[in-house]
Amino acid sequence: MVQDDTYAVFIYLKETKRFLRANKMSLEVLYQNNADEEWQRLEDSSPAPYAQLLNQFWPRILKEITFRESLGDETIAYWQERLHSTVTVEKIERILALPIVTEKYNDYYDDDKNGYWSGILYFIFRLPAGENNPRIGIGRERRDLSLFPTVQDPFDVFICHFDLEINDNGARQVGLKYQPHNEGNTRPVETVEIKHIQTALQFWSRLEHKIFADNDEFLEEQS
């Protein structure tokens, strides 16, 4: 278990060879602050963040593995189809072309101009310019920061990103990505991560429901 490339806990089975007797397997739990430090045995006297990481996320790992093993091909295919039919290249292009985006929220790298709050969700826009893919991001405030000792800021969000990409065949497609923290790394969502896909679809539904009305209101203010 690795959190933000800083805190790491490693669980493994260690085989102990014994003379004239069957080898014995023992459970070992180690921790490491970062890649530059030696692994150390996790004990009661070890720093609290590592025990917290183990206690909070080991049960989650077991639960997630059980959930993934229960998924059938039909379930995975159903949610992939829902995602691809709901969030399309044409929809993203249409939203990124709205005046509220092109004139007001048109700078992805400026905190004051990259997007806006709509209720509990934050809408983020990256226009089709430069080397980076066009993107619509939808974020929500995290309520479980006590589980993440590496996050020092009292306010944090997790974000679902919808990117316009070019696949290996040269066709345009929508790629779904997940960013666990406001300052965290962004990674692609796997097909078996049904809960992330469901959350992304809920977020997208809210965006579609609000963005066009917000755009009309912006145009009225400008006229």
Side-chain angles (χ1 to χ4, degrees):
M1 290 167 282
V2 181
Q3 184 173 314
D4 299 334
D5 296 327
T6 302
Y7 295 158
V9 173
F10 184 52
I11 304 174
Y12 71 103
L13 289 175
K14 180 180 180 181
E15 185 178 34
T16 303
K17 295 183 178 181
R18 298 190 295 179
F19 183 67
L20 298 180
R21 298 176 63 184
N23 294 344
K24 181 180 180 181
M25 302 297 293
S26 62
L27 185 67
E28 298 286 341
V29 182
L30 306 178
Y31 74 91
Q32 182 188 61
N33 181 261
N34 55 55
D36 296 328
E37 293 192 4
E38 295 291 332
W39 289 94
Q40 302 181 58
R41 187 185 300 274
L42 186 63
E43 300 173 337
D44 292 340
S45 58
S46 300
Y50 303 100
Q52 182 182 31
L53 185 64
L54 174 66
N55 294 334
Q56 294 289 351
F57 289 97
W58 177 244
R60 291 191 176 195
I61 288 177
L62 300 179
K63 185 177 180 180
E64 180 65 20
I65 290 174
T66 301
F67 173 74
R68 292 192 182 197
E69 288 180 337
S70 70
L71 293 175
D73 293 340
E74 292 184 359
T75 300
I76 295 173
Y78 168 80
W79 285 107
Q80 285 297 299
E81 173 59 27
R82 279 282 305 274
L83 177 63
H84 295 152
S85 62
T86 302
V87 188
T88 66
V89 170
E90 292 74 20
K91 288 182 178 180
I92 291 180
E93 288 182 331
R94 181 186 177 193
I95 291 173
L96 291 180
L98 293 173
I100 192 175
V101 177
T102 60
E103 299 177 21
K104 188 172 184 179
Y105 301 111
N106 55 13
D107 191 340
Y108 184 78
Y109 303 99
D110 185 328
D111 290 341
D112 295 325
K113 299 183 66 177
N114 65 2
Y116 66 98
W117 284 98
S118 177
I120 61 174
L121 298 181
Y122 191 74
F123 301 150
I124 312 165
F125 310 99
R126 186 164 70 193
L127 293 173
E131 297 180 355
N132 293 317
N133 292 323
R135 164 180 287 178
I136 294 176
I138 308 175
R140 183 173 182 176
E141 181 181 358
R142 293 209 74 112
R143 301 291 186 179
D144 54 354
L145 287 182
S146 62
L147 304 182
F148 302 95
T150 60
V151 178
Q152 301 301 320
D153 197 315
F155 177 81
D156 189 29
V157 296
F158 67 92
I159 308 170
C160 294
H161 293 294
F162 304 90
D163 287 8
L164 289 186
E165 303 172 339
I166 304 297
N167 62 24
D168 295 337
N169 297 322
R172 295 184 301 166
Q173 66 179 23
V174 178
L176 177 60
K177 296 181 173 61
Y178 180 70
Q179 184 175 341
H181 302 288
N182 187 42
E183 300 297 334
N185 296 323
T186 299
R187 63 168 182 80
V189 173
E190 300 178 25
T191 58
V192 293
E193 294 184 288
I194 305 299
K195 295 177 183 178
H196 282 340
I197 295 172
Q198 292 172 336
T199 298
L201 288 171
Q202 292 172 0
F203 284 6
W204 182 263
S205 175
R206 175 66 179 178
L207 172 73
E208 280 197 302
H209 178 73
K210 285 289 296 176
I211 188 66
F212 298 104
D214 292 343
N215 183 67
D216 291 341
E217 183 177 339
F218 169 74
L219 292 176
E220 289 182 3
E221 293 174 353
Q222 297 299 103
S223 61

